[in-house]
Amino acid sequence: MSDLQDKILEHQAKEMQSSIDWEIKAGMLEELGWVRVEILSDSVEEHLRMLVWVNEHSQHDVKNRYDVFLFRDEEDAIMFKLKWA
């Protein structure tokens, strides 16, 4: 294999592991009462606006990976859905 192929495979393996780790963590948080909200953003700019909004308006912890948001507080999740869904 070439050096480039090795780097691509290594990157894909890391991304897969990160995705698995996230889903395990998300599942544990949901078991503890966190609220999962999945909203597909139309663009990187819209996703960044969502992140800024969450940072400015959420009263409690929020975790995010791509288009999945985990809210510690149900009211924060509802307000997010009302704004972005």
Side-chain angles (χ1 to χ4, degrees):
M1 252 192 263
S2 72
D3 189 46
L4 178 58
Q5 288 173 322
D6 289 341
K7 288 181 181 180
I8 290 170
L9 286 174
E10 182 180 336
H11 174 74
Q12 289 175 329
K14 286 181 182 178
E15 182 60 31
M16 186 182 298
Q17 184 61 53
S18 179
S19 180
I20 291 167
D21 290 347
W22 163 259
E23 286 303 326
I24 291 169
K25 180 179 180 179
M28 290 174 23
L29 291 175
E30 288 176 87
E31 287 291 319
L32 293 172
W34 288 54
V35 180
R36 182 184 191 112
V37 178
E38 294 184 42
I39 296 184
L40 298 176
S41 54
D42 293 331
S43 65
V44 172
E45 291 81 12
E46 182 180 44
H47 184 73
L48 291 174
R49 286 194 299 274
M50 287 180 184
L51 292 174
V52 168
W53 188 93
V54 164
N55 200 24
E56 291 176 350
H57 294 90
S58 295
Q59 301 297 314
H60 301 88
D61 291 340
V62 179
K63 307 289 184 201
N64 166 256
R65 179 172 165 81
Y66 303 126
D67 292 323
V68 177
F69 293 81
L70 292 170
F71 292 86
R72 173 180 256 170
D73 183 69
E74 185 176 17
E75 186 175 320
D76 286 343
I78 290 169
M79 297 306 291
F80 180 77
K81 287 181 198 178
L82 288 172
K83 173 68 177 170
W84 297 104

